[in-house]
């Protein structure tokens, strides 16, 4: 739980590191873990062979095509350029196509959940919808500033409340029907309808007062209050066809043939058309010859689900897949691979775990001292070194390293590793060791389960380390894993958990309303029912000004509250590592939008 489609603010299922028995034993000392725990890590890795398991963060944000910039500047003020990937071939060095046709196969460990951009809440679904659909606005991959995709231009009123978008002419859906302003209004009405179960509903209804179509190519959004990141945060969702979905009950949207993938029905305006979806095997898209930016160079894009991480890295080596994440353990090896370009870069992604704060589900974590104690007990530096091979940073606060709001020096609490402080906090909270060493209070044991998604080796290893580290302070934690979509349903649907660990990716703008605002529990990503009126107010203040320094101050104040209350501790900011076969040209994995120029991708004959 990491863009033009709702991959922005999305739960992130990325392919993570797996290590060999030999490597893990060598690195166990860095964590100070015992041999039984090493055995647990090996079990989580899937066996005891010496082969390295594979593959790591894809962690891309979706975006859009290389459109002409809009008529106005972003309301969020000046942006710090996003970090671009480093590779042996350089970044964004366009090559004129020397060949037409062929295909690109991307490897993934987690299948998509939907092909409807209104419903997307995960990385895999976002990757697919980014290729099928376009958005009104997309963030520029080099500056993170908004630029027009379906919008040819836009104007913002002096009071910052009214946004008037003029759409491009000549844009058609894959069935040949023209895109109009009515499609934009219809999409946003659907996003804002609670019955649709879109994860964007809470934020959009909080921000948008009305949407009006004034003519075929003009749509006007009126906001309730000035919202600094409105363009790059809220105008980036894929536009769906009104003529296909207008008679569909929003409550039935997820089961409709458009959402589950149906050739000729699942249509957008993007460079590729839906062809077929064999669940847990592959999804095939084919080029849309009449794409408004120009006919794509390749004929097909295949999103291939591989059975495990070892297979994924092996297929990058053999060329069975052209593009995919590389795990940290294989990073050095893959840099020496002659047929693969390796990209390594910081992103807007992070790893976090969440305490269940709904007292009707559990009362274990109501005292913030318990939440703080558990975080102090984790040696995150050692975890990153041992499990991520040092390819990541300990998180201080909630802002990613490449965000202009990143301000670790402004944070009052850093949560350095301190197990003695952890024990002290638990003692103060009244949790005392019982006969078996597990702490108790009022007849209740400090014992719970923590879920993560099966097959993600970093996360599996992280929660196994949780188990050992917390046992040493008198806390019993039972690691549990689930298949990705079942896990996603648990944490975003039933919310039946005591604790979970997952990845997430922020927007290019530092607004974090979708995770921390009270109203984001329903229709957002506040999955553990955190609520603090002061945080709600600071989030609102952060949207009302375009002054970047003032926003940075506000978000630092917000983070200090979050660091104290610690509803969902952010563990790390991992680096993304991706491999691209050298037969593939003009495909550049990056932190903002890997698919921004998909129509320009080409492959050697």
């Amino acid at each position: 739980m990491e863009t033009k489609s709702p991959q922005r603010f999305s739960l992130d299922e990325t392919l993570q590191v797996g290590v060999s028995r030999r490597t893990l034993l060598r690195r166990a000392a860095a964590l100070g873990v015992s041999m039984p725990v090493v055995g647990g890590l090996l079990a989580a890795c899937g066996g005891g062979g010496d082969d390295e398991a594979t593959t790591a963060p894809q962690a891309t944000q979706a975006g859009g095509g290389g459109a002409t910039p809009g008529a106005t500047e972003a309301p969020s003020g000046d942006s710090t350029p996003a970090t671009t990937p480093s590779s042996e071939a350089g970044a964004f060095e366009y090559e004129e196509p020397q060949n037409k046709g062929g295909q690109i196969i991307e490897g993934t460990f987690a299948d998509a959940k939907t092909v409807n951009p209104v419903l997307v809440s995960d990385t895999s679904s976002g990757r697919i919808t980014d290729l099928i659909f376009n958005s009104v606005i997309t963030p520029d991959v080099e500056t993170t500033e908004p630029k027009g995709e379906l919008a040819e231009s836009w104007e913002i009123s002096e009071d910052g409340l009214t946004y008037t978008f003029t759409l491009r002419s000549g844009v058609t859906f894959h069935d040949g029907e023209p895109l109009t302003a009515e499609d934009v209004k219809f999409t946003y009405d659907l996003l804002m309808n609670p019955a649709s179960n879109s994860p964007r509903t809470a934020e959009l209804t909080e921000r948008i007062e009305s949407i009006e179509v004034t003519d075929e190519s003009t749509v006007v959004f009126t906001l309730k209050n000035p919202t600094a990141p409105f363009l790059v945060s809220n105008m980036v969702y894929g536009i769906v066809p009104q003529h296909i979905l207008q008679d569909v009950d929003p409550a039935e949207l997820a089961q409709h043939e458009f959402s589950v993938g149906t050739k000729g029905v699942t249509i957008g305006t993007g460079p590729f058309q839906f062809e077929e979806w064999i669940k847990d095997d592959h999804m095939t898209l084919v080029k849309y010859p009449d794409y408004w930016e120009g006919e794509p160079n390749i004929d097909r894009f295949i999103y291939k689900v591989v059975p495990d991480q070892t297979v994924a890295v092996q297929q990058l080596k053999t060329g069975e897949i052209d593009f995919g994440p590389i795990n940290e353990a294989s990073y050095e090896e893959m840099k020496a691979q002659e047929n693969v370009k390796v990209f390594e870069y910081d992103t807007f992604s992070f790893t976090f775990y969440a305490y269940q704060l709904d007292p009707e589900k559990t009362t274990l974590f109501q005292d913030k001292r318990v939440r703080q104690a558990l975080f102090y007990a984790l040696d995150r530096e050692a975890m990153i070194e041992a499990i991520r091979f040092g390819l990541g940073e300990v998180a201080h606060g909630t802002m990613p390293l490449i965000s202009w709001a990143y301000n670790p020096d402004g944070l009052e609490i850093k949560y350095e590793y301190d197990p003695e402080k952890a024990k002290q906090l638990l003692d103060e909270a009244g949790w005392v060791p019982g006969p078996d060493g597990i702490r108790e209070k009022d007849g209740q044991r400090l014992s719970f389960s923590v879920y993560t998604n099966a097959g993600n080796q970093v996360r599996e290893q992280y929660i196994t380390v949780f188990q050992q580290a917390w046992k040493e302070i008198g806390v019993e934690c039972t690691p549990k894993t689930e298949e990705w979509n079942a896990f996603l349903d648990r944490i975003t649907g039933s919310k039946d958990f005591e604790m979970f660990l997952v990845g997430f990716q922020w927007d290019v703008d530092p607004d974090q309303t979708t995770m921390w605002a009270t109203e984001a529990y329903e229709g957002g990503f506040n999955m553990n029912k955190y609520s603090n009126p002061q945080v709600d107010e600071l989030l609102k203040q952060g949207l009302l000004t375009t002054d970047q320094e003032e926003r940075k101050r506000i978000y630092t104040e917000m983070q200090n509250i979050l660091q104290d209350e610690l509803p969902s501790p952010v563990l790390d900011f991992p680096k993304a590592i991706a491999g691209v076969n050298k037969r593939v040209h003009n495909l550049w994995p990056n932190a903002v939008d890997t698919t921004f120029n998909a129509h320009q991708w080409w492959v050697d004959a």
Side-chain angles (χ1 to χ4, degrees):
M1 18 191 71
E2 146 181 57
T3 115
K4 66 181 182 194
S5 77
Q7 184 183 340
R8 181 175 305 284
F9 293 140
S10 66
L11 294 165
D12 181 25
E13 166 38 21
T14 54
L15 300 175
Q16 302 282 358
V17 60
V19 295
S20 69
R21 178 180 296 273
R22 188 169 52 234
T23 301
L24 187 55
L25 290 171
R26 185 172 66 245
R27 289 176 169 264
L31 285 172
V33 297
S34 63
M35 288 308 295
V37 173
V38 174
L41 290 177
L42 287 169
C45 290
D50 284 336
D51 293 338
E52 298 280 340
T54 72
T55 223
Q58 155 177 316
T60 56
Q61 293 264 6
T68 304
T72 67
E73 64 180 339
S76 56
D78 296 333
S79 294
T80 301
T83 300
T84 53
S86 59
S87 78
E88 58 193 65
F92 309 118
E93 295 178 357
Y94 176 76
E95 296 179 72
E96 289 289 343
Q98 304 299 310
N99 182 55
K100 298 278 189 176
Q103 65 185 24
I104 291 175
I105 302 175
E106 179 177 353
T108 179
F109 188 66
D111 202 357
K113 188 176 181 181
T114 181
V115 287
N116 187 336
V118 170
L119 303 175
V120 169
S121 63
D122 62 292
T123 304
S124 293
S125 298
R127 166 72 86 231
I128 292 299
T129 56
D130 289 341
L131 294 168
I132 299 174
F133 302 89
N134 291 127
S135 55
V136 176
I137 296 293
T138 187
D140 186 278
V141 292
E142 296 187 80
T143 68
T144 72
E145 293 284 356
K147 68 177 184 179
E149 185 164 67
L150 293 176
E152 185 173 64
S153 63
W154 66 92
E155 295 179 357
I156 307 173
S157 63
E158 288 188 9
D159 61 7
L161 294 177
T162 304
Y163 289 70
T164 302
F165 298 95
T166 301
L167 303 181
R168 299 179 183 281
S169 61
V171 178
T172 60
F173 286 99
H174 298 150
D175 61 356
E177 288 292 316
L179 170 91
T180 73
E182 292 288 352
D183 295 299
V184 175
K185 175 175 167 42
F186 174 80
T187 299
Y188 277 82
D189 286 343
L190 198 54
L191 284 161
M192 294 168 66
N193 189 328
S196 73
N197 288 315
S198 171
R200 274 78 210 168
T201 300
E203 184 172 278
L204 291 174
T205 53
E206 178 73 16
R207 295 180 177 180
I208 296 173
E209 179 68 36
S210 65
I211 306 169
E212 180 186 3
V213 171
T214 59
D215 61 45
E216 189 176 83
S217 61
T218 308
V219 59
V220 180
F221 284 70
T222 301
L223 307 187
K224 296 177 180 178
N225 297 290
T227 304
F230 180 68
L231 286 173
V232 293
S233 292
N234 300 128
M235 294 307 300
V236 292
Y237 307 135
I239 301 303
V240 299
Q242 181 182 26
H243 66 281
I244 296 290
L245 295 174
Q246 60 188 346
D247 295 325
V248 177
D249 181 348
E252 303 298 324
L253 187 63
Q255 292 75 42
H256 189 264
E257 56 184 341
F258 178 91
S259 304
V260 300
T262 305
K263 184 177 180 180
V265 177
T266 304
I267 59 172
T269 61
F272 291 92
Q273 306 176 77
F274 180 87
E275 179 72 14
E276 68 170 359
W277 186 2
I278 307 300
K279 287 289 289 183
D280 298 318
D281 187 83
H282 73 277
M283 191 182 301
T284 300
L285 309 181
V286 296
K287 71 177 180 181
Y288 179 43
D290 296 325
Y291 180 54
W292 59 272
E293 285 194 280
E295 181 179 356
N297 294 319
I298 63 171
D299 292 334
R300 285 177 304 281
F301 174 86
I302 299 173
Y303 199 58
K304 180 180 180 181
V305 182
V306 297
D308 57 51
Q309 297 177 337
T310 302
V311 173
V313 161
Q314 185 60 33
Q315 290 191 4
L316 262 178
K317 292 179 181 178
T318 61
E320 293 170 77
I321 63 175
D322 299 299
F323 168 40
I326 296 171
N327 66 297
E328 293 95 330
S330 299
Y331 176 57
E332 294 297 332
E333 174 191 1
M334 291 302 288
K335 285 200 300 183
Q337 189 74 21
E338 291 187 358
N339 65 327
V340 176
K341 293 181 290 187
V342 175
F343 296 78
E344 175 257 310
Y345 50 99
D346 290 315
T347 76
F348 294 95
S349 297
F350 59 95
T351 312
F352 77 101
Y353 68 91
Y355 298 107
Q356 177 61 263
L357 299 179
D358 185 346
E360 293 187 3
K361 296 181 183 295
T362 182
T363 58
L364 288 176
F365 309 115
Q366 293 299 309
D367 190 328
K368 72 179 181 182
R369 291 173 294 186
V370 174
R371 305 193 295 267
Q372 292 172 341
L374 294 177
F375 205 33
Y376 273 120
L378 298 176
D379 188 347
R380 293 183 288 153
E381 290 278 6
M383 291 167 66
I384 291 169
E385 177 60 30
I387 297 172
R388 291 198 185 278
F389 288 68
L391 290 164
E393 298 287 339
V394 167
H396 295 301
T398 67
M399 294 294 169
L401 302 177
I402 58 175
S403 170
W404 55 257
Y406 180 65
N407 184 26
D409 292 339
L411 302 181
E412 297 166 2
I413 309 176
K414 296 291 183 65
Y415 291 98
E416 306 292 351
Y417 175 54
D418 192 342
E420 292 307 311
K421 186 171 182 65
K423 294 175 184 177
Q424 177 188 340
L425 285 166
L426 291 174
D427 289 341
E428 292 174 1
W431 291 93
V432 297
D436 60 355
I438 301 304
R439 292 176 180 265
E440 299 178 343
K441 180 181 180 181
D442 299 331
Q444 186 177 24
R445 299 173 81 244
L446 193 46
S447 175
F448 52 86
S449 298
V450 56
Y451 282 89
T452 196
N453 52 300
N456 188 302
Q457 304 293 355
V458 162
R459 295 175 198 160
E460 288 181 342
Q461 292 171 46
Y462 270 14
I463 63 174
T464 305
V465 171
F466 287 5
Q467 182 182 41
Q468 175 67 16
W470 291 341
K471 182 179 180 181
E472 292 176 0
I473 63 169
V475 177
E476 184 175 67
C477 165
T478 303
K480 292 188 176 182
T481 62
E482 277 187 317
E483 179 273 332
W484 171 245
N485 284 318
F487 173 65
L488 195 63
D489 287 339
R490 177 180 298 278
I491 65 177
T492 64
S494 68
K495 295 171 183 168
D496 179 20
F497 61 84
E498 294 168 302
M499 180 185 291
F500 68 81
L501 171 77
V502 76
F504 200 78
Q505 46 190 343
W506 290 127
D507 188 358
V508 296
D509 186 88
D511 170 52
Q512 298 181 351
T513 299
T514 192
M515 180 174 279
W516 309 121
T518 300
E519 66 266 19
Y521 182 64
E522 298 293 343
F525 289 103
N526 178 354
M527 294 166 282
N528 56 346
K529 212 169 188 178
Y530 174 64
S531 179
N532 182 309
Q534 190 177 357
V535 169
D536 291 342
E537 180 58 30
L538 287 168
L539 287 166
K540 291 175 182 177
Q541 289 179 21
L543 300 176
L544 294 175
T545 177
T546 61
D547 183 274
Q548 193 173 96
E549 284 306 309
E550 175 62 10
R551 294 187 76 203
K552 187 173 183 178
R553 184 198 66 75
I554 291 169
Y555 292 135
T556 299
E557 183 179 349
M558 176 198 73
Q559 288 179 88
N560 276 317
I561 297 172
L562 293 171
Q563 286 292 92
D564 176 55
E565 297 200 329
L566 215 63
S568 301
V570 179
L571 289 165
D572 64 24
F573 297 122
K575 288 187 179 292
I577 314 165
V580 179
N581 193 294
K582 291 182 179 178
R583 67 184 284 273
V584 176
H585 303 267
N586 296 338
L587 193 164
W588 302 292
N590 66 85
V592 177
D593 172 15
T594 292
T595 63
F596 76 100
N597 67 328
H599 64 293
Q600 295 177 326
W601 297 344
W602 63 276
V603 296
D604 293 332

